[in-house]
Amino acid sequence: MTIAGRSKLLKSTSLRLGDVTSSWLPLVPEASDHGATLTCRAHNPNIPGHAATTSTVLQITFAPRVTLKLGYNLDTRPVTEGEDVFFECEVASNPPPLTVTWYKDGEEVKHDMRAGVLVSGNNLVLQMVRRVSAGNYTCAATNTLTTTASNSVVLDIKYLPVCVDGPQSVVVAEGEDVRLTCRVDAKPEDDLRFTWYFNNTLDTVEVERHRVQVRPGLSYLDYTPRSSRDYGSLACWATNTVGTQADPCQFTVLEAGQHLTLSHVGPPERVESCDLVNLTGGTLEVKCSPGHDGGLPQWFIGRVYDAISHKLLATMEETTPRFQMSGLTPGHDYVITITAVNSKGASEPQEIDAIRLKVAEKRMGEVSSPGVSPLVGVFLGLVGGFVGLLLLAISFTLIRSYRCRCLVAGSDGTRENDGDGASSHAPAAKASPTSHPLDTRPGPDVLLSASSRALPLPSHGTTPRARLVTSYCGVDARGSGGEVVTSGEGGDEGQLSWSRRMSSSV
């Protein structure tokens, strides 16, 4: 039998019946025998150099065999917070595995790119691990036969010390002793070193080492103020093999006689709701919402650290919690802390998740204000043109309608007063007492002027016909009462009235 290029001789049993020889091989296959070539070779010692062979490839079905390993070069050294961690789940299975599932402390780990958790088949990647990423990791493979879990790999992460308690304020009288306890969370914590600093309005000094007591995970200081200059703030810094904590533990020492008036005064609260406002290849802008200022004016300090070496790269101070950081290198990991500070102390630092600036992929795209589309101007132009045409059409229609009404009125007035006979709807002309019936014969139209005198009537006794002259808009040349004013035997009054009306008509 040949496995992975290596041949192995197996013992078999043969039986000869006449000229026929049979051989059989009892075999209990293992998962490692899958894909091996089994060959049976027969030869006759009386005919050297000649043999007959037959072969077959073994197809062994078996449950998944799963082994979990930590990534290259990670199992030989400690993992520090901010590094990338790789897991590889090796699976041997026939039929092949259908799914590979990852677990941390018994809970399934799912793909979450925003959290830096990348699941890809037999590989698990944790980007910029945090202390909460520590735990027991396993993987499980499933095929059509069963599900098999791997061995457990413990991920132990080392990280910088951080304060367990928030800023504290104590009230003590002169000559009175008070114990200040500085507790930190760190890994490793068996080799912690603590440094205390005192700060007042005049200066900042380091507290003598012999006054500082160190215990596993904490340090305490017995402090006794001797004068008014001994009241102020104390800061405790812890250091382990990873480095020194980013922000110290704060203590404010108040004088007993003043604590009633200063009870509402203290260190500010830490900022919250921090967002990455703008992120480009080498520039980062962070904006936070300020907390309570502690009753005093506050300012803000931003610090940028290298996520791998924890080296402080930049420190900025602003009156508002908004910082713009430039000169960053794409592809590097950074940790940012924002701390609020007033004259009574500092808040707990707000730590923003480590940020990896990449050239092709960024956690947050650059925020830019949208421009005005050229289509908006075209649309507004079309709307304005349409409204202008509509107003022009309405104006033209109103003018045309008004002129038509005027022309119709003028035409009606002419028809009522012209012709062979008087219309039944036309108003009758008022005649003088001596007038005769209207002459129905055609005759010339006569316009009387104001300088005319009363002329004698024709011999046949009829009154002269007067043609009504209308205005442009159809207003009849009538008197104020709607009657036609003519000149007759009554004198010049009718002629003057008619002349004034005709003058206005012309």
Side-chain angles (χ1 to χ4, degrees):
M1 184 171 64
T2 302
I3 303 176
R6 294 180 298 176
S7 298
K8 179 181 180 182
L9 183 62
L10 303 176
K11 293 182 179 181
S12 61
T13 303
S14 301
L15 177 63
R16 180 179 180 182
L17 296 174
D19 294 336
V20 178
T21 301
S22 300
S23 176
W24 65 89
L25 173 68
L27 178 65
V28 179
E30 298 179 354
S32 59
D33 296 331
H34 175 65
T37 302
L38 182 63
T39 303
C40 177
R41 182 175 182 273
H43 70 280
N44 191 338
N46 296 323
I47 307 176
H50 294 278
T53 60
T54 182
S55 301
T56 185
V57 177
L58 300 180
Q59 296 291 332
I60 312 299
T61 59
F62 55 95
R65 302 173 68 185
V66 188
T67 303
L68 179 61
K69 294 181 178 180
L70 203 56
Y72 172 74
N73 200 31
L74 291 176
D75 53 352
T76 59
R77 64 177 180 83
V79 178
T80 305
E81 188 177 27
E83 292 187 64
D84 292 344
V85 176
F86 304 88
F87 291 95
E88 184 177 359
C89 187
E90 298 180 350
V91 181
S93 172
N94 187 39
L98 301 176
T99 60
V100 175
T101 309
W102 293 88
Y103 297 93
K104 173 184 176 291
D105 297 331
E107 297 184 2
E108 183 178 353
V109 177
K110 296 184 179 180
H111 183 85
D112 188 354
M113 183 173 293
R114 294 186 61 186
V117 179
L118 309 179
V119 177
S120 177
N122 293 17
N123 298 299
L124 172 64
V125 179
L126 304 178
Q127 293 182 327
M128 295 175 293
V129 293
R130 314 297 294 168
R131 63 197 66 186
V132 294
S133 303
N136 297 321
Y137 287 82
T138 58
C139 63
T142 303
N143 65 1
T144 56
L145 299 178
T146 186
T147 299
T148 305
S150 71
N151 56 301
S152 178
V153 174
V154 179
L155 179 61
D156 191 13
I157 300 176
K158 295 183 178 182
Y159 49 88
L160 293 172
V162 293
C163 295
V164 174
D165 305 315
Q168 304 177 44
S169 299
V170 294
V171 180
V172 60
E174 290 187 11
E176 183 182 358
D177 295 335
V178 62
R179 171 164 290 188
L180 306 177
T181 303
C182 176
R183 293 183 177 87
V184 295
D185 176 22
K187 196 162 190 177
E189 63 176 7
D190 53 356
D191 190 21
L192 287 173
R193 300 181 302 278
F194 291 87
T195 305
W196 290 74
Y197 287 91
F198 173 77
N199 176 50
N200 57 17
T201 57
L202 300 178
D203 53 8
T204 300
V205 294
E206 182 180 354
V207 179
E208 295 87 347
R209 296 266 180 185
H210 67 274
R211 299 175 58 186
V212 178
Q213 304 296 323
V214 179
R215 297 290 183 271
L218 62 89
S219 171
Y220 61 85
L221 170 67
D222 292 328
Y223 188 74
T224 305
R226 301 297 181 184
S227 65
S228 59
R229 296 183 57 182
D230 295 333
Y231 291 96
S233 61
L234 287 156
C236 167
W237 299 80
T239 305
N240 64 0
T241 57
V242 179
T244 303
Q245 68 185 95
D247 294 282
C249 303
Q250 296 281 350
F251 301 87
T252 303
V253 181
L254 302 174
E255 189 174 358
Q258 298 179 354
H259 78 279
L260 293 177
T261 59
L262 299 178
S263 59
H264 64 287
V265 177
E269 297 179 354
R270 71 176 181 178
V271 298
E272 55 188 5
S273 302
C274 292
D275 295 317
L276 303 181
V277 177
N278 186 21
L279 181 60
T280 61
T283 303
L284 174 65
E285 190 172 352
V286 180
K287 181 180 180 181
C288 304
S289 297
H292 187 264
D293 59 6
L296 296 170
Q298 64 176 343
W299 62 97
F300 304 88
I301 299 176
R303 296 183 177 93
V304 182
Y305 297 88
D306 187 283
I308 303 300
S309 64
H310 300 282
K311 179 181 177 181
L312 179 62
L313 302 178
T315 301
M316 293 156 288
E317 185 172 318
E318 298 288 347
T319 56
T320 59
R322 183 164 186 165
F323 299 87
Q324 184 173 0
M325 306 159 191
S326 58
L328 304 180
T329 304
H332 280 60
D333 302 333
Y334 299 96
V335 177
I336 299 174
T337 61
I338 308 296
T339 306
V341 183
N342 65 11
S343 60
K344 292 299 181 181
S347 69
E348 289 185 285
Q350 179 66 39
E351 185 172 327
I352 302 173
D353 288 342
I355 299 163
R356 167 165 293 180
L357 295 179
K358 297 183 180 180
V359 176
E361 177 184 357
K362 297 188 272 287
R363 287 195 173 189
M364 180 177 295
E366 183 176 359
V367 178
S368 62
S369 58
V372 179
S373 173
L375 295 179
V376 176
V378 176
F379 175 76
L380 293 178
L382 291 176
V383 172
F386 176 78
V387 172
L389 291 176
L390 183 60
L391 293 176
L392 185 61
I394 292 174
S395 301
F396 180 79
T397 302
L398 291 177
I399 293 173
R400 185 179 180 86
S401 176
Y402 177 76
R403 294 186 61 179
C404 289
R405 286 197 303 270
C406 291
L407 292 176
V408 170
S411 175
D412 291 342
T414 303
R415 284 195 299 267
E416 290 173 359
N417 294 278
D418 290 342
D420 296 332
S423 172
S424 60
H425 302 285
K430 180 181 290 187
S432 63
T434 59
S435 65
H436 300 276
L438 291 176
D439 186 4
T440 59
R441 292 177 301 172
D445 295 331
V446 178
L447 296 178
L448 300 180
S449 63
S451 60
S452 302
R453 295 295 181 183
L455 298 177
L457 295 176
S459 58
H460 48 73
T462 60
T463 60
R465 293 187 304 110
R467 183 179 179 182
L468 298 178
V469 179
T470 60
S471 69
Y472 177 75
C473 291
V475 179
D476 294 337
R478 304 171 184 268
S480 61
E483 296 177 345
V484 178
V485 181
T486 60
S487 60
E489 294 178 353
D492 294 340
E493 181 179 357
Q495 294 178 0
L496 292 174
S497 177
W498 175 263
S499 177
R500 294 191 193 100
R501 177 61 64 183
M502 291 306 297
S503 298
S504 63
S505 298
V506 175

